[in-house]
Amino acid sequence: MSMTPILETRNLHRRFRVSQGHFKPKATLQAVNGVDLSVQRGETLGIVGESGCGKSTLAQMLLGLLPATSGEVRLDGRPIADLRRVDFARRVQPIFQDPFSSLNPRKTLLDIVTMPLRVHAIGSRAEQEARARTLMDRVGLPAGFADRYPKELSGGQRQRVAIARALVMQPDVVICDEPTSALDASVQSQILNLLMELKADFGLTYVFISHNLSVVEHIADHVAVMYLGRVVEKAPVDAIFDAPQHPYTRALLDSVLTVAPDAGVPELALGPGFPNPLRPAPGCPFHPRCPRAFEPCSTIPPTPVPAEGRGAACHLTEMTPRGAAA
Amino acid sequence: MGALLTVDDLRVDIATPRGTLRAVRGLTFSVNAGETLCIVGESGCGKSMTSLALMDLLPRVAKRSAATLNFADTDLSDRRKARRIRGNQMAMIFQEPMTALNPAFPIGDQLTEAYLHHKGGSRAAARARAVEMLDLVGIGSPAERLGQYPHQLSGGLRQRVMIAMALMTDPKLLIADEPTTALDVTIQAQILRLLRDLQQKLGIAVIFITHDLGLVSRIADRVMVMYAGAMVEEGTAAQIFGAPRHPYTQALIECIPQPGRTARGTPLGTIPGVVPSLVGQIEGCVFRSRCPLARRECESHVPTRGAEGHRWVCVDDAPAPALEGTTR
Ligand SMILES: Nc1ncnc2c1ncn2[C@@H]1O[C@H](COP(=O)(O)OP(=O)(O)OP(=O)(O)O)[C@@H](O)[C@H]1O
Ligand SMILES: Nc1ncnc2c1ncn2[C@@H]1O[C@H](COP(=O)(O)OP(=O)(O)OP(=O)(O)O)[C@@H](O)[C@H]1O
Ligand SMILES: [Mg+2]
Ligand SMILES: [Mg+2]
């Protein structure tokens, strides 16, 4: 366990100043609020969490595209702020949540996918094209797509271009933000199989952000569950799915819509409110929706989960000693 | 009782340097008031083009044609009449909020625009309505959010802004293209229940496009399965998931990772082969190049089978082999 993680975050924070309209003071929005994570080489860290809890903001910071308000991101133990931009980009590649805005509308798909190889001067022109075409094939964009432009594609086809571009250089780490959300079940399986193969063959490391819990369950080794800017639970995949500790993790698992005609949408035992990052609740941020909240939850924030450790940030689990049977 | 929306032989042709790409190839379907029709199908099969065609919002290079295109007794091919309905009685939630929202304007302006255009009234009343709708879809501090720009919102917040925007004018038909992909499942459940309540209260019809088959099985009254621009099967959720008849539907259902059935980390089932090129005609069955049961007859005209309730396009009429867990 004492190996240096390939990627880690230390007490990472990101605040945004948000205008509240004319003549009103700006409000502070704490998008990422003290996140400690670590990923070992060749592992997949799944990140799930409520919508707006800071996952994409975290991804942007892991990619060095957004500065942290405080705390740091390290690659192989070195703060990424100290690394040269090109060296970093050679090793860490993104797949963004909103693929269209990240694809240059004036370039053909083949240009877009070979671009990273050209920027880093990897291989000859012919080798670059061959590699790009192989990957496009693997993501289900066969030869006929090479000369097309992003606007000529469906949502899922664009997402696959972004995936091919991220994988073409064979980076060490890929930060995937909702990489398969626009894909049908068969193409999604094809992409997940490709990611798993690259991991087995070349030891790729993934940070895999997704709302699709079945996909995360299938592909992740460890899972972090986030809520309003914090990690509320972290554990190996089996533990998260077989024995979830945090009430929010349980609520997530209970809300998964498996194929069951006539079953309807489950009625959740959650409070009716929606989380509000502009006015987070005091104490545990989840307590207004938590079915098991009791008196310390509304005043005392639970102890965070340490970077290397596992467990839930929850007063309920703090009462039962760690390791004791629940 | 007549259907709210009637579509007969809808086609979308796109001019490309490689020839005419036939994105939608003669779709026929209808939607009743208060009903939920889910459209599923492989990525690129023409789902978004279908919804854009209904809204008359296709890109300039795309051409629409249809034998019938009727909404509440209005002929939608009459563009002048259609304009009064679009964004008013018929509203759409777009697949990629980031491209549908204008990055240069705060979301408050965008929420109120169509409302002011169709319903008139004061700016203040429109903003009050916007606050109400944002609150309904679970965006806290809605008044503060009105001043924010799209890039300042998370993917899921943008998606809920789109949902709120579509609900502003009390539409009769809501076309939702992947409206919940950026929502966590607890909020997704809350939004789906909200939509269901609105449907029951106001009789809104919904066309719901999604890749999430679990979701489809839970909310659909009817399901239409598309492949390469064409309908291959249509039926109730119970029929599609309980007794799928088209080999594509069967294969698609087999691909979903199922907790407890597909072992973690093992390869997932896929459908081998690639989708045929959509440029030009496809003779015979659209799925035959990837179908495990394909044979000679599939190359010629393929009949539509079944009765009104459950129809599928296939040479086979024999009961489908029962779905078994073959992709372990
Ligand atoms: N540039 C910005 N300016 C102001 N607020 C921002 C900005 N970027 C993000 N935020 C806010 O930070 C919070 C976290 O956003 P983020 O995009 O990281 O969420 P997310 O977890 O990726 O959500 P989703 O699952 O919906 O994509 C949101 O409340 C969002 O509105
Ligand atoms: N402007 C365009 N020019 C040429 N072809 C286009 C254009 N827009 C879309 N297409 C093609 O039309 C087909 C249908 O696209 P559509 O966006 O309707 O697919 P979809 O079913 O919504 O897919 P997804 O699930 O990936 O969103 C696709 O194969 C796409 O490549
Ligand atoms: Mg996001
Ligand atoms: Mg689409």
Side-chain angles (χ1 to χ4, degrees):
Chain A
M1 265 330 272
S2 59
M3 257 164 50
T4 309
I6 187 163
L7 191 68
E8 67 187 317
T9 68
R10 289 290 168 92
N11 202 17
L12 200 61
H13 287 80
R14 175 69 209 200
R15 275 194 297 279
F16 291 109
R17 305 284 289 161
V18 177
S19 150
Q20 310 202 67
H22 301 299
F23 314 118
K24 288 203 197 131
K26 287 198 166 178
T28 300
L29 192 156
Q30 192 75 53
V32 171
N33 199 356
V35 166
D36 285 306
L37 288 173
S38 76
V39 198
Q40 296 293 337
R41 178 183 291 275
E43 266 183 9
T44 301
L45 172 68
I47 300 183
V48 301
E50 44 100 22
S51 158
C53 69
K55 302 179 298 297
S56 297
T57 305
L58 173 64
Q60 299 275 342
M61 289 193 282
L62 293 177
L63 288 159
L65 298 174
L66 185 75
T69 309
S70 64
E72 65 186 15
V73 178
R74 297 182 188 169
L75 185 69
D76 285 331
R78 292 176 57 195
I80 62 170
D82 298 350
L83 300 175
R84 279 177 55 212
R85 189 70 223 152
V86 273
D87 297 337
F88 180 76
R90 172 78 187 77
R91 300 192 51 200
V92 184
Q93 280 286 307
I95 301 172
F96 290 112
Q97 182 171 17
D98 218 316
F100 191 56
S101 35
S102 72
L103 302 178
N104 186 337
R106 277 177 295 277
K107 298 268 189 239
T108 65
L109 302 193
L110 187 63
D111 274 340
I112 291 172
V113 179
T114 47
M115 179 69 100
L117 296 173
R118 275 182 277 134
V119 168
H120 295 276
I122 301 171
S124 69
R125 179 96 207 176
E127 283 162 359
Q128 292 171 352
E129 283 203 1
R131 229 159 122 172
R133 282 180 194 276
T134 310
L135 262 167
M136 288 177 69
D137 241 25
R138 297 288 297 271
V139 299
L141 297 172
F145 280 88
D147 302 326
R148 293 170 75 168
Y149 291 88
K151 73 166 199 309
E152 297 177 54
L153 301 183
S154 76
Q157 290 164 343
R158 282 175 198 155
Q159 203 167 32
R160 288 179 264 166
V161 176
I163 293 170
R165 176 179 61 182
L167 298 177
V168 76
M169 293 207 300
Q170 232 170 62
D172 294 335
V173 183
V174 187
I175 312 289
C176 320
D177 195 355
E178 297 285 352
T180 63
S181 62
L183 304 177
D184 65 80
S186 131
V187 177
Q188 170 171 287
S189 298
Q190 195 180 330
I191 300 285
L192 296 177
N193 288 347
L194 171 64
L195 293 179
M196 290 188 287
E197 259 177 68
L198 291 174
K199 177 178 154 183
D201 293 351
F202 305 103
L204 256 64
T205 305
Y206 302 110
V207 173
F208 195 99
I209 299 171
S210 178
H211 287 304
N212 189 327
L213 291 152
S214 317
V215 166
V216 170
E217 171 171 6
H218 196 80
I219 196 161
D221 301 303
H222 293 267
V223 179
V225 181
M226 287 181 69
Y227 196 86
L228 281 179
R230 296 171 209 262
V231 173
V232 296
E233 180 161 6
K234 194 163 46 121
V237 67
D238 293 344
I240 289 279
F241 285 90
D242 299 340
Q245 300 295 308
H246 198 284
Y248 176 62
T249 312
R250 291 189 191 179
L252 279 178
L253 296 180
D254 290 343
S255 318
V256 172
L257 301 177
T258 48
V259 171
D262 302 328
V265 179
E267 204 77 48
L268 300 181
L270 287 184
F274 288 93
N276 181 0
L278 280 168
R279 296 226 179 78
C284 168
F286 184 60
H287 89 262
R289 291 173 82 206
C290 184
R292 301 185 62 193
F294 60 121
E295 118 281 306
C297 305
S298 56
T299 47
I300 308 165
T303 319
V305 192
E308 306 285 343
R310 55 183 282 188
C314 176
H315 290 303
L316 280 172
T317 56
E318 276 170 20
M319 293 193 316
T320 36
R322 299 250 155 113
Chain B
M1 202 196 81
L4 178 68
L5 177 77
T6 315
V7 177
D8 186 11
D9 200 22
L10 175 69
R11 292 168 187 277
V12 175
D13 290 340
I14 304 177
T16 76
R18 304 164 300 278
T20 305
L21 185 145
R22 298 156 57 98
V24 180
R25 301 165 177 253
L27 277 190
T28 297
F29 64 95
S30 64
V31 189
N32 294 323
E35 189 181 43
T36 301
L37 170 72
C38 285
I39 305 184
V40 302
E42 37 85 42
S43 163
C45 72
K47 302 179 297 297
S48 296
M49 286 295 141
T50 301
S51 44
L52 293 173
L54 296 176
M55 294 292 286
D56 200 7
L57 290 173
L58 286 169
R60 208 177 289 252
V61 289
K63 219 179 86 248
R64 174 187 83 182
S65 73
T68 313
L69 210 54
N70 241 308
F71 174 83
D73 298 321
T74 309
D75 180 4
L76 289 178
S77 47
D78 181 337
R79 291 224 147 102
R80 223 164 38 92
K81 285 190 190 150
R83 258 201 299 277
R84 269 197 305 252
I85 288 176
R86 173 178 82 209
N88 187 15
Q89 293 179 54
M90 218 168 121
M92 174 149 178
I93 301 167
F94 294 90
Q95 182 172 8
E96 281 165 291
M98 210 43 191
T99 30
L101 291 169
N102 188 327
F105 292 96
I107 59 160
D109 294 8
Q110 307 189 50
L111 277 160
T112 51
E113 189 183 318
Y115 185 83
L116 286 167
H117 176 76
H118 291 289
K119 308 279 184 203
S122 71
R123 208 155 263 286
R127 286 184 87 80
R129 171 87 183 160
V131 166
E132 187 193 333
M133 289 300 118
L134 288 182
D135 187 52
L136 201 62
V137 297
I139 297 185
S141 306
E144 278 96 322
R145 291 286 190 183
L146 286 184
Q148 288 197 289
Y149 291 83
H151 77 269
Q152 299 177 319
L153 303 176
S154 77
L157 286 166
R158 288 197 284 264
Q159 235 167 16
R160 281 180 280 164
V161 167
M162 295 288 312
I163 297 172
M165 195 180 294
L167 294 174
M168 282 289 288
T169 54
D170 270 332
K172 288 200 185 119
L173 173 67
L174 187 63
I175 303 176
D177 195 354
E178 306 265 14
T180 61
T181 47
L183 303 181
D184 81 70
V185 285
T186 69
I187 291 179
Q188 171 175 277
Q190 278 168 289
I191 296 280
L192 292 176
R193 271 205 304 276
L194 164 77
L195 282 180
R196 186 199 56 197
D197 292 347
L198 289 174
Q199 272 184 290
Q200 281 168 357
K201 217 160 50 198
L202 308 170
I204 305 177
V206 177
I207 297 179
F208 201 109
I209 298 174
T210 177
H211 289 302
D212 185 338
L213 297 177
L215 195 165
V216 171
S217 77
R218 306 294 188 110
I219 67 161
D221 294 308
R222 281 184 306 125
V223 184
M224 177 161 79
V225 185
M226 287 179 68
Y227 188 87
M231 185 275 283
V232 294
E233 182 161 3
E234 194 199 329
T236 62
Q239 288 163 340
I240 295 293
F241 292 98
R245 301 300 295 268
H246 196 282
Y248 173 65
T249 315
Q250 295 168 359
L252 189 65
I253 295 173
E254 280 288 296
C255 292
I256 329 172
Q258 288 193 28
R261 216 180 60 120
T262 31
R264 288 166 192 155
T266 55
L268 293 162
T270 60
I271 305 176
V274 292
V275 187
S277 160
L278 296 179
V279 175
Q281 284 284 8
I282 299 173
E283 292 300 332
C285 172
V286 285
F287 187 58
R288 78 184 143 88
S289 61
R290 297 169 81 184
C291 183
L293 307 171
R295 50 181 191 265
R296 206 53 188 279
E297 299 141 78
C298 306
E299 291 165 26
S300 49
H301 180 76
V302 182
T304 302
R305 304 202 172 269
E308 263 311 290
H310 187 185
R311 29 177 209 146
W312 64 98
V313 184
C314 186
V315 297
D316 270 322
D317 197 22
L323 277 184
E324 280 174 67
T326 46
T327 50
R328 274 211 73 100

